[in-house]
């Protein structure tokens, strides 16, 4: 069997780039290391360029183990865009942490893990990608070695990620036991026959939901998220919230909407309830938070709930909605966290009350934070509104209650987002010195804000691409 | 149409916003002038459009249509008819006047004007959009600027401005959540029935929705639009919100923003879901009349001028609801025209109270007396607005209210009579407020007050002219409104007759 290596050229290049960064970090003397941020950014932009050549180059490798369709490519582009923004937004932050080469190299490896997840066509590859990403993240989470909170977060992440992996593996092995195959495509066929449902499968589905639910921080598997989001270096929190979540959704869709499509009616209600509970708990618990990272952590839990809504019907429209929302969610999340991380580098605080008067100290940061948060809340004309429209239109006919929960809770979420705006806009700053926004951070912020506005006002171009990606998801079956 | 006049009306304030971003923040005069010019341009063009509209041809005119989101069937579809033109005129007029009513804002005026212009764009957009999705985009744009304006420039008297702002925001957002569910459900059902995604009002109105579905969805939309229209019992944000808000926001909000609720009820809920409207009409009428009576009594008990006007506006919106609920051309004509008349009046009222507050730092009626001797021009504005509020013949509100009652009386008899008593109560609280603030013995403590002059006169002149001219020549308004309402009602009348119960 001949192998079309051009299909995995992106992964090969990413792996090579990550290794090169690692080696370079050892060679280059300590004083010359400030260029790594820019180098990584440039390299990732190059990889993003490379990914566009794959848009019309689709296929699968090794008998369906590795799938390169537009769905996978689009997700990879999402990850790369997220990684670029994180790399750019974190330059200042990382300069102050020291020892950067490994940081950027791990960032690239985490991205590679996500790419493998997006393309995974069987359970083993899926697990491989997941672990690659998770291990890179573990290192990144506790990167601030001297900060007790960061180390604590790292250890928590090791333990809980390990636990969730075990649960996931157990679920996967149950499905394997029932079908005799690990290839998702063949699993799909096995379950298409009527009467394929069995109690063992139910157990498997529950395990899968639990294992993947951990990764997307769905309630009740969300407990880790606020602690780890709070403790991790803020750029990593952004990447964790945006990239890791999007990648987990990529495999969630593969496993459920493709692999278990045949037994859809047996898990749809489970996912719907999970989505509803996640939306409610995430939003309500976000309200009393006083630390902005914790607040954003809970809000990102709620966001995961919204995205789950798209999975409930497992229809092309649902897949499209998930991809669309993941795309715009990246920009909103990274925009918000970049503001938070830059604010921390300047002032050393993550408390919401210290954001007083930010609109006067740095109008750009305040504006980006408001735009990003309101986009998450789904206020038009920001991207989140269109995203929620796509998501909830899939469930409004058969799961009207879910649409009610989702839309009412998103209006509730405006409350805690506005409390931050209140502090930033109304209050006079305690310290009136303007906050300088360095060039790379400013670019990240402006890109995030402009895209969020643009997609909200004129979503057509993105909708077209996402349509193509969603179509390819069903084509290879 | 060759000349995209509606786009220009919409974009003029946006251009103003972009301009302001590059102006240093301490150039106070320049900032306000830019805002005045941008909103003045919109206002001028709207006046032109109003008179250039061809009434014999009728229907949507000045149409612009561009494909927008293909897979949802959304088009950027702008156009005006007799229903939306008066509303568009209202928002641009009040927007223009409100800049001058805020001429003395000295705290962060640049941010104030930027937010205010965004707010005006949002409101204008809802009236020119002929596509439900685009309508929604504009509909919620307004909420956030209002919130920020209330918390920065608002005033805390009876309730804190933070409370007022958040109450207003949450009420409107929760209402709009119900509306959104309704809209999404209507869209999806239409897609299932016709197979072609289409979001335009006309397209959705052609879809034969099942009656049960219409009833259900109309309820959601009534909740959404009703809470924006301060329909009793979802009105409580309105007096608090207006009291907390800065003058310009109160003017726009009471003047036009809540009218989006009435406009949406007619243009969307009634037009797309006529059978639902038929089912809920009696409930709407009862809620409307309850609002008229309740809010009028509440206004009687107020001592804070802004609360008097706030409750008064809730009470007037009851008429609008009653007019819509009559489901006939005359009643709906009356409702739309009442919205226009009340808008001009409320804007003038709030700007007057704004000036009084600015000069005296009080809105408490017992603090005043005999102001007409110290500030005669303000007193003229106050009386003009007050008399319009109680529906004095010869001012813009008389004919619309009269029409509403005619339309409603045919259908609801007794309820309409109750609503008419609201007029008497209005006269009571308005005249009492006027007597206690403007007339009576002069008070020495207000001798230092300087009457409004220069730019401060603009709201009085602009709004006053419309109050009088449209009052003396009611056909200017009523013909236009009828031109929009009659075809709309004709289109749904067959549905209304099949299940007619009256």
């Amino acid at each position: 069997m001949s192998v079309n290596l051009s299909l995995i050229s992106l992964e090969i290049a990413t792996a090579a780039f990550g290794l090169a960064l690692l080696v370079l970090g050892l060679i280059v003397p300590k004083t010359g290391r400030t260029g790594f941020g820019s180098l990584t950014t440039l390299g990732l932009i190059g990889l993003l360029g490379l990914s566009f050549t794959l848009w019309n180059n689709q296929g699968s490798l090794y008998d369906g183990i590795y799938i390169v369709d537009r769905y996978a490519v689009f997700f990879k582009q999402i990850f790369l865009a997220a990684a670029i923004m994180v790399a750019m937004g974190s330059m200042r932050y990382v300069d102050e942490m020291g020892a950067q080469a490994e940081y950027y190299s791990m960032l690239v490896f985490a991205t590679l893990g996500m790419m493998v997840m997006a393309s995974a066509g069987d359970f083993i590859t899926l697990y491989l990608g997941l672990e690659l990403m998770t291990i890179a993240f573990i290192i990144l989470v506790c990167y601030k070695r001297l900060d007790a909170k960061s180390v604590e977060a790292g250890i928590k992440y090791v333990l809980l990620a390990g636990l969730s992996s075990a649960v996931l593996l157990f679920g996967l092995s149950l499905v394997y036991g029932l079908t005799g195959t690990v290839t998702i495509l063949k699993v799909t066929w096995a379950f298409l026959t009527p009467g394929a449902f069995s109690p063992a499968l139910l157990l498997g589905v529950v395990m899968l939901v639990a294992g993947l639910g951990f990764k997307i921080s769905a309630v009740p598997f969300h407990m880790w998220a606020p602690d780890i989001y709070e403790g991790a270096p803020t750029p990593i929190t952004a990447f964790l919230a945006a990239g890791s979540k999007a990648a987990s959704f990529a495999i969630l869709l593969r496993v459920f909407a493709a692999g278990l499509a045949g037994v859809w009616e047996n898990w749809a209600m489970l996912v719907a309830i999970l989505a509803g509970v996640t939306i409610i708990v995430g939003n309500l618990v976000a309200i009393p938070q006083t630390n902005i990272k914790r607040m954003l952590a809970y809000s990102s839990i709620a966001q995961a709930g919204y995205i789950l809504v798209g999975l409930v019907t497992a229809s092309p429209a649902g897949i499209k909605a998930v991809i669309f929302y993941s795309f715009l969610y990246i920009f909103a999340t990274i925009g918000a966290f970049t503001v938070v991380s830059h604010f921390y580098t300047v002032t050393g605080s993550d408390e919401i009350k210290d954001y007083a008067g930010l609109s006067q100290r740095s109008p750009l940061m305040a504006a980006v934070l408001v735009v990003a948060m309101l986009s998450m809340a789904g206020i038009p004309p920001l991207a989140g509104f269109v995203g929620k429209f796509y998501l909830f239109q899939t469930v409004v006919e058969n799961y009207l209650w879910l649409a009610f929960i989702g839309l009412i809770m998103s209006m509730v979420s405006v409350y805690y987002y506005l409390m931050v705006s209140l502090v930033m806009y109304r209050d006079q700053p305690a310290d009136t010195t303007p906050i300088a926004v360095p060039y790379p951070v400013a670019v990240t912020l402006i890109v995030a804000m402009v895209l969020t506005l643009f997609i909200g006002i004129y979503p057509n171009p993105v909708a077209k691409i996402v349509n193509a990606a969603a179509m390819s998801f069903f084509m290879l079956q | 149409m060759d000349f995209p006049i509606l786009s220009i009306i919409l974009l003029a304030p946006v251009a103003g916003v972009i301009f302001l971003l590059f102006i240093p923040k301490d150039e106070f005069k320049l900032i306000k002038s830019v805002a005045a010019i941008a909103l003045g341009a919109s206002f001028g063009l709207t006046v032109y459009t109003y008179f250039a509209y061809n009434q014999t041809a009728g229907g949507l005119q000045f149409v612009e249509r561009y494909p927008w989101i293909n897979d949802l069937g959304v088009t950027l579809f702008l156009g005006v008819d007799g229903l939306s033109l008066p509303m568009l005129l209202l928002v641009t007029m009040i927007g223009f006047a409100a800049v001058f009513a805020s001429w003395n804002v000295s705290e962060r005026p640049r941010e104030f004007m930027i937010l205010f212009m965004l707010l005006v764009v949002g409101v204008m957009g809802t009236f020119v959009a002929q596509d439900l999705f685009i309508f929604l985009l504009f509909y919620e744009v307004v909420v956030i600027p209002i919130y920020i304006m209330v918390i920065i420039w608002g005033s805390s008297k009876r309730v804190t401005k933070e409370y007022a702002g958040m109450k207003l925001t949450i009420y409107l957002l929760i209402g709009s959540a119900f509306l959104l569910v309704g809209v999404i459900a209507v869209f999806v059902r239409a897609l299932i029935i016709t197979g072609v995604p289409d979001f335009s009002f006309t397209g959705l109105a052609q879809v034969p929705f099942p009656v049960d579905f219409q009833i259900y969805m109309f309820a959601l939309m009534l909740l959404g639009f009703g809470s924006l229209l301060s329909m009793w019992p979802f009105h409580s944000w309105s007096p608090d919100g207006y009291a907390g808000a800065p003058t310009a926001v109160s003017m726009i909000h009471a003047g036009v923003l809540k009218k989006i609720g009435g406009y949406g009820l007619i243009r969307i809920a009634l037009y797309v879901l006529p059978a639902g409207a038929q089912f809920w009409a009696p409930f709407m009428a009862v809620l409307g009349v309850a609002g008229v009576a309740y809010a009028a009594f509440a206004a009687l008990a107020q001592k804070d001028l802004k609360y008097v006007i706030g409750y008064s506006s809730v009470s007037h919106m009851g008429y609008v609801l009653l007019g819509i609920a009559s489901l006939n051309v005359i009643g709906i004509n009356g409702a739309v025209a009442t919205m226009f008349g009340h808008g001009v009046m409320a804007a003038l009222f709030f700007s007057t109270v704004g000036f009084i507050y600015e000069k005296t730092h009080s809105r408490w009626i017992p603090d005043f007396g005999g102001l007409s001797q110290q500030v005669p021009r303000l007193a003229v504005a106050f009386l003009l607005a007050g008399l319009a509020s109680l529906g004095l013949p010869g001012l813009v509100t008389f004919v619309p209210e009269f029409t509403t009652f005619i339309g409603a009386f045919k259908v609801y008899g007794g309820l309409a009579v109750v609503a008419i008593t609201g007029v008497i109560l209005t006269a009571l609280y308005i005249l009492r407020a006027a007597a206690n603030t403007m007339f009576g013995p002069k008070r020495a403590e207000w001798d230092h007050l300087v009457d409004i002059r220069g730019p401060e006169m603009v709201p009085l002149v602009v709004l006053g002219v419309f109050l009088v001219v449209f009052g003396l020549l009611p056909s200017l308004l009523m013909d236009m409104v009828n031109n929009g309402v009659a075809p709309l009602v004709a289109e749904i009348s067959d549905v209304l007759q099949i299940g007619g119960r009256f």
Side-chain angles (χ1 to χ4, degrees), chain B residues 32-55:
Chain B
K32 287 160 188 164
S33 309
V34 168
I37 291 169
L39 291 170
S42 290
F43 178 42
L45 284 171
T46 309
V47 173
Y48 166 77
T49 316
Y50 192 90
F51 290 102
Y53 180 85
N54 183 346
Q55 293 209 15

Side-chain angles (χ1 to χ4, degrees), chain B residues 112-144:
Chain B
F112 184 91
M113 289 302 166
I114 288 178
L115 288 168
F116 182 69
M117 286 201 275
L118 287 177
L119 168 60
V120 174
V121 173
V123 183
M124 287 198 293
T126 52
F127 293 126
V128 295
Q130 297 298 330
D131 183 285
L132 187 49
F133 195 89
I134 304 290
F135 172 87
L136 284 177
L137 282 192
F138 285 113
Y139 180 74
E140 283 185 77
V141 170
V142 301
V143 176
I144 304 304

Side-chain angles (χ1 to χ4, degrees), chain B residues 145-230:
Chain B
I146 288 180
Y147 176 73
I148 297 179
M149 288 177 85
V150 172
I151 57 163
I152 298 182
W153 294 280
S155 61
S156 306
K157 281 276 161 178
R158 192 159 104 189
V159 293
T160 64
K161 57 188 179 183
E162 288 79 11
Y163 171 83
M166 191 52 92
K167 185 168 180 180
L168 192 141
T169 309
I170 292 294
Y171 254 93
L172 299 190
L173 285 177
I174 297 289
S176 76
F178 288 101
L179 174 68
L180 269 181
V181 175
V183 167
I184 297 176
V186 163
F187 168 72
V188 171
R189 185 59 69 91
L191 185 59
I192 292 172
I193 293 175
T194 63
V196 187
D198 186 357
F199 243 121
S200 66
F201 295 147
T202 41
L204 287 173
Q206 309 299 326
V207 181
F209 293 107
V211 173
D212 288 356
F213 179 77
Q214 291 199 28
I215 291 173
Y216 198 24
M217 290 305 137
F218 191 90
L220 294 179
M221 293 201 179
L222 184 60
L223 265 178
F225 287 129
S227 51
L228 184 58
L229 190 69
S230 65

Side-chain angles (χ1 to χ4, degrees), chain A residues 30-100:
Chain A
K30 269 210 167 99
T31 49
R33 284 185 187 169
T34 45
F36 273 103
S38 319
L39 180 66
T40 312
T41 310
L42 283 179
L44 288 169
I45 291 175
L47 291 171
L48 184 62
L50 180 64
S51 72
F52 283 100
T53 63
L54 291 167
W55 189 251
N56 289 317
N57 187 8
Q58 301 182 61
S60 64
L61 292 171
Y62 312 112
D63 202 18
I65 284 182
Y66 205 78
I67 304 171
V68 183
D69 50 8
R70 284 183 180 166
Y71 169 83
V73 174
F74 189 67
F75 262 111
K76 287 173 194 174
Q77 288 166 344
I78 292 181
F79 308 146
L80 282 169
I84 291 169
M85 292 174 70
V86 168
M88 276 178 38
S90 61
M91 278 181 209
R92 268 288 299 280
Y93 195 98
V94 180
D95 279 350
E96 301 200 350
M97 282 197 301
Q100 327 156 6

Side-chain angles (χ1 to χ4, degrees), chain A residues 274-335:
Chain A
L274 207 64
V277 173
T278 306
I279 293 171
I280 293 175
V281 172
N283 279 320
L284 290 186
V285 183
I287 292 175
Q289 302 304 324
T290 55
N291 178 299
I292 194 151
K293 281 168 88 174
R294 284 187 87 83
M295 188 209 84
L296 286 173
Y298 281 107
S299 113
S300 94
I301 290 170
Q303 298 293 314
Y306 297 128
I307 306 182
L308 263 184
V309 169
L311 180 64
V312 172
T313 54
S315 59
I319 309 277
K320 188 173 89 185
V322 170
I323 305 176
F324 191 90
Y325 204 91
S326 307
F327 180 71
L328 63 93
Y329 170 70
I330 293 279
F331 295 105
T333 308
I334 294 187

